[in-house]
Amino acid sequence: MPHIPVLLPESVKLLLEAPSLADGGVVVDATFGGGGHSRALLQEGTEKTTVIAIDRDPAAVSRARSLLSEFPSRFRLLTGNYADLSHLLIGIGIERIDGLLLDIGLSSFQLEDEERGFSFQSDGPLDMRMDPAVGQPAAEIVNRADVRTLTRIFRNFGEEPYAAAIARRIVRQRREAPLRTTRELAVLVEEMVPAHKTFRRHPATRVFQALRIVVNDELGALAKVLERGLEGLNPGGRMVVIAYHSLEDRIVKQFFRQAARGCVCPPKIPVCVCGRRPRVRLLKGRGQRPSDAEIARNPRSRSAVLRAVEVL
Ligand SMILES: C[S@@+](CC[C@H](N)C(=O)[O-])C[C@H]1O[C@@H](n2cnc3c(N)ncnc32)[C@H](O)[C@@H]1O
């Protein structure tokens, strides 16, 4: 199934209405995926709007061919990690941008390709690397980390209540034979999570999420791109982030709130001495969620939260 873009009109409108884009400029789609957002930005932006797309997954980049031929002068595509945003852009001579979109997480293409090892619903190698040439596959962690490390990973990055029991079970199992496939891991996790706790989600959801986050250093990359993005945006430029789970959304929310904060002097002090000025204006203070109609059309969107800021 193709990837259905999430919160598409909302995010594109926010980006294209950025004051600094009024006379044209550069919008970066740092999570190209299936190209849904890039396409809409190109179609709805003016002739003076250039879109630069980035994805760390070489398979995503290979899907960009038709956009490259339809918009040869307004579309560029880079392969790389958005954590390296500034370097990637400087590499093509761009220092300032007017919009940045982060639609984080996985595309349906990645989830549905069983060879990539992201899905507990199919059987593939335990890999989970977004860029198969970078980092260690999930199997390395699952078969080598000790019980304490595995517990910490499942607890911290999956918020898994049965983290320790699952970790112990994995270590016991691998004494017989290493875990090699997504199905083997999913079955083990299913055994350890009581059936009545799996009402809404597959029992392996949290463990797979945790491993994926660690394999790809997803939270580290997110923290970096938020800061680099803010530094690179022109005044009046906008950043829009769509997150799909609470760990990511918390990082985005706190980062935006901090950036929007002005003076932090205690209320007793009559005149500001800290000199701190807000760097951004919050555009969606409480975050925007997909409508019921969008969730019905695309159930994958149900956990999405969009947050956006404008640089002052
Ligand atoms: C949810 S999909 C984006 C879907 C896209 N907006 C669309 O409408 O088709 C997320 C994409 O971001 C990519 N990605 C995730 N983390 C990344 C990172 N640190 N650097 C670059 N790309 C990343 C993934 O490989 C994936 O293709």
Side-chain angles (χ1 to χ4, degrees):
M1 209 172 64
H3 182 92
I4 305 174
V6 173
L7 289 161
L8 181 71
E10 295 84 351
S11 49
V12 167
K13 184 169 187 304
L14 277 163
L15 287 163
L16 294 180
E17 287 180 357
S20 80
L21 257 191
D23 293 322
V26 176
V27 180
V28 175
D29 173 2
T31 49
F32 179 74
H37 286 90
S38 281
R39 173 172 289 282
L41 286 165
L42 285 160
Q43 283 171 340
E44 289 169 38
T46 68
E47 280 301 310
K48 291 183 184 164
T49 312
T50 300
V51 175
I52 298 176
I54 300 172
D55 206 295
R56 72 195 292 189
D57 183 347
V61 171
S62 69
R63 276 189 293 273
R65 228 167 282 133
S66 84
L67 275 187
L68 284 167
S69 58
E70 278 173 69
F71 300 93
S73 60
R74 295 205 286 130
F75 180 56
R76 308 267 314 249
L77 184 70
L78 307 172
T79 314
N81 188 334
Y82 55 52
D84 304 323
L85 184 70
S86 336
H87 287 119
L88 289 167
L89 294 178
I90 285 172
I92 55 166
I94 289 178
E95 285 186 18
R96 313 292 310 167
I97 59 176
D98 302 284
L100 173 62
L101 172 67
L102 299 164
D103 176 20
I104 38 193
L106 290 180
S107 70
S108 305
F109 296 107
Q110 290 166 321
L111 255 177
E112 285 163 19
D113 179 352
E114 59 186 27
E115 287 306 307
R116 306 295 300 269
F118 287 111
S119 173
F120 43 77
Q121 273 153 345
S122 49
D123 201 16
L126 259 180
D127 191 319
M128 302 195 193
R129 285 171 297 178
M130 290 190 196
D131 178 350
V134 174
Q136 51 175 352
E140 288 282 311
I141 300 172
V142 168
N143 290 311
R144 282 170 192 246
D146 58 20
V147 171
R148 265 184 62 192
T149 308
L150 286 173
T151 305
R152 191 177 46 79
I153 290 174
F154 300 152
R155 196 170 280 150
N156 293 355
F157 302 116
E159 300 177 312
E160 170 55 64
Y162 300 95
I166 295 168
R168 283 194 299 270
R169 182 72 185 85
I170 288 173
V171 170
R172 215 168 50 239
Q173 180 68 32
R174 75 191 194 201
R175 283 193 198 116
E176 287 167 29
L179 284 138
R180 298 205 186 281
T181 69
T182 49
R183 178 66 46 76
E184 285 169 7
L185 178 61
V187 167
L188 273 195
V189 178
E190 265 173 59
E191 281 172 30
M192 304 315 293
V193 179
H196 68 278
K197 295 281 181 192
T198 63
F199 171 57
R200 281 158 65 98
R201 301 207 267 186
H202 187 284
T205 309
R206 295 169 190 270
V207 164
F208 273 64
Q209 173 190 302
L211 286 169
R212 202 194 88 193
I213 288 177
V214 172
V215 165
N216 297 291
D217 184 25
E218 291 183 34
L219 303 185
L222 177 59
K224 286 192 189 125
V225 72
L226 290 172
E227 189 50 53
R228 311 262 147 85
L230 213 53
E231 285 164 7
L233 279 162
N234 282 318
R238 291 180 173 183
M239 183 175 348
V240 173
V241 186
I242 306 171
Y244 294 86
H245 58 76
S246 54
L247 289 175
E248 282 169 351
D249 185 49
R250 214 172 295 146
I251 292 175
V252 178
K253 183 165 75 178
Q254 282 169 2
F255 180 83
F256 283 176
R257 283 206 182 141
Q258 278 293 327
R261 243 179 119 179
C263 169
V264 289
C265 294
K268 280 186 296 200
I269 299 183
V271 184
C272 170
V273 289
C274 75
R276 192 185 151 117
R277 298 267 172 273
R279 300 165 75 193
V280 301
R281 177 167 80 88
L282 295 178
L283 298 174
K284 295 277 170 199
R286 306 175 74 98
Q288 178 162 15
R289 291 176 184 276
S291 64
D292 291 345
E294 175 166 3
I295 295 171
R297 217 172 39 245
N298 178 16
R300 219 194 117 250
S301 71
R302 70 184 176 278
S303 51
V305 184
L306 177 154
R307 297 186 188 274
V309 290
E310 183 178 301
V311 173
L312 296 171

